[in-house]
């Protein structure tokens, strides 16, 4: 048993309980918390761990998740493409960066339960998670060119609909702070300020903006809590097709 504080092991030593007696209910509670957005106690957070991470590898049904599978994560040698060596720190990035959580809450009982759950996804002796996951994010993003709207709709269903809901209406979106697309982006950009540059330039700018948000999410100082999609999760072709959904009237 390996949690990020070792507190479970300590409690069991003190109470001389069997390891599994304590750990299994804790991991089961962690599994429930992993699908609960209220876990961070922020009224503005709509995401759960399982909004962005699958526990299957590869994910079922062709779904595209921005985060790596959590199966085996507890055993990986490094996280965040080698930037982080401790599991707790890897989770803290998501907790504070995407879920509006307070870091110290991860040291409390809910954090312990999450830790036990992550551990249970990679049983000791299994080969799951022995290799680190690499994700690459292009630093500079350009206009990807004109894509295919029909293919874009299919990619949308696999990668974006879980948070943004249906294209055009936002039906089923995850929370009120999640943009209705493409409506909100078009309302912001398809206005009179662009009459000088012309329609073609305006469209090129819009495609670049959508690519920017998709590739970087809230990275590089951009506001918000949307996660980034790496080259390994969406190809350039897929991003180009997604951008084709954003066309000014
Ligand atoms: C809004 C989306 C989002 C949410 C919510 C989220 N994560 Fe992440 N997570 C990511 C992204 C993006 C990465 C970086 C890409 C990667 O390495 O998986 C990441 C990375 C990680 C990693 C490192 C994976 C690796 O091997 O590099 C772990 C572990 C992790 N998250 C656990 C969690 C846990 C546990 C929760 C819930 C408390 C959570 N995440 C919530 C998006 C999210
Ligand atoms: C985990 C939830 C989540 C996923 C998945 C997600 N988004 Fe977002 N997205 C958000 C949130 C929340 C916002 C509002 C701004 C913010 O907080 O970053 C947003 C904002 C945006 C914006 C800016 C909208 C505006 O107001 O102009 C674009 C463009 C966008 N998302 C595109 C996408 C695309 C394309 C995908 C699929 C590849 C996607 N998003 C997947 C959560 C998500």
């Amino acid at each position: 048993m390996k949690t990020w504080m070792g507190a479970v092991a300590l409690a069991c030593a003190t109470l001389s309980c069997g390891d599994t007696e304590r750990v299994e209910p804790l991991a089961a509670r962690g599994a429930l918390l992993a699908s609960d957005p209220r876990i961070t106690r922020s009224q503005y957070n709509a995401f759960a761990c399982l909004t962005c991470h699958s526990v299957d590898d590869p994910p079922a049904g062709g779904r595209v998740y921005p985060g790596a599978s959590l199966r085996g994560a507890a055993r990986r040698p490094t996280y965040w493409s080698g930037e982080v060596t401790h599991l707790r720190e890897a989770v803290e990035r998501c907790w504070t960066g995407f879920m509006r959580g307070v870091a110290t809450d991860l040291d409390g009982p809910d954090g312990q339960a999450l830790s036990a759950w992550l551990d249970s996804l990679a049983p000791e002796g299994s080969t799951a998670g022995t290799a680190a996951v690499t994700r690459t994010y292009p630093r500079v993003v350009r206009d990807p060119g004109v894509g295919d709207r029909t293919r874009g709709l299919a990619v949308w269903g696999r990668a974006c609909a879980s948070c943004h809901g249906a294209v055009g209406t936002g039906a089923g979106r995850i929370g009120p702070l999640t943009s209705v697309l493409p409506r909100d982006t078009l309302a912001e950009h398809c206005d009179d300020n662009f009459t000088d540059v012309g329609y073609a330039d305006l469209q090129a700018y819009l495609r670049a903006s959508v690519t920017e948000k998709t590739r970087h999410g809230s990275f590089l100082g951009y506001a918000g809590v949307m996660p980034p999609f790496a080259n390994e999760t969406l190809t350039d072709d897929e991003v180009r097709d997604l951008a084709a959904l954003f066309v000014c009237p």
Side-chain angles (χ1 to χ4, degrees):
M1 180 63 204
K2 182 183 95 180
T3 65
W4 51 64
M5 290 177 73
V8 178
L10 188 67
C12 284
T14 324
L15 303 166
S16 70
C17 60
D19 216 22
T20 45
E21 263 171 60
R22 296 243 143 201
V23 171
E24 277 174 12
L26 198 59
R29 209 171 80 75
L32 290 178
L33 293 174
S35 45
D36 188 352
R38 289 167 305 180
I39 183 178
T40 55
R41 300 190 297 135
S42 163
Q43 60 173 314
Y44 302 110
N45 174 51
F47 307 155
C49 306
L50 294 179
T51 304
C52 297
H53 295 275
S54 171
V55 291
D56 302 319
D57 196 8
R63 264 280 299 270
V64 176
Y65 291 84
S69 170
L70 294 181
R71 192 175 131 74
R75 306 267 172 269
R76 286 180 200 143
T78 59
Y79 304 99
W80 286 86
S81 303
E83 288 173 27
V84 171
T85 40
H86 295 291
L87 180 60
R88 186 193 182 288
E89 201 191 326
V91 175
E92 187 179 316
R93 282 193 173 195
C94 301
W95 185 266
T96 58
F98 302 132
M99 299 173 74
R100 304 171 190 268
V102 178
T104 46
D105 277 0
L106 279 176
D107 300 324
D110 287 355
Q112 283 291 301
L114 271 183
S115 172
W117 169 68
L118 286 169
D119 203 61
S120 75
L121 296 174
E124 209 84 58
S126 79
T127 52
T130 41
V133 174
T134 303
R135 294 278 185 260
T136 40
Y137 299 96
R139 269 203 95 69
V140 178
V141 165
R142 296 185 181 81
D143 168 20
V146 181
D148 180 274
R149 203 185 139 77
T150 307
R151 283 201 305 262
L153 282 170
V155 180
W156 175 273
R158 290 160 55 220
C160 321
S162 55
C163 286
H164 288 285
V167 173
T169 62
R173 74 193 152 123
I174 198 165
L177 299 177
T178 308
S179 319
V180 176
L181 297 179
R183 188 191 74 188
D184 291 355
T185 307
L186 302 189
E188 195 183 329
H189 294 296
C190 306
D191 62 14
D192 299 342
N193 296 336
F194 282 92
T195 44
D196 297 345
V197 300
Y199 187 78
D201 284 352
L202 169 56
Q203 275 309 135
Y205 173 79
L206 252 180
R207 289 192 298 266
S209 308
V210 173
T211 305
E212 168 68 61
K213 188 71 182 169
T214 304
R215 285 300 188 206
H216 294 154
S218 55
F219 277 15
L220 303 182
Y222 291 92
V225 291
M226 181 171 143
F229 287 80
N231 294 336
E232 291 81 0
T233 46
L234 285 178
T235 65
D236 283 343
D237 286 348
E238 287 172 321
V239 174
R240 182 189 308 122
D241 291 338
L242 278 173
L245 301 174
F246 293 74
V247 178
C248 289

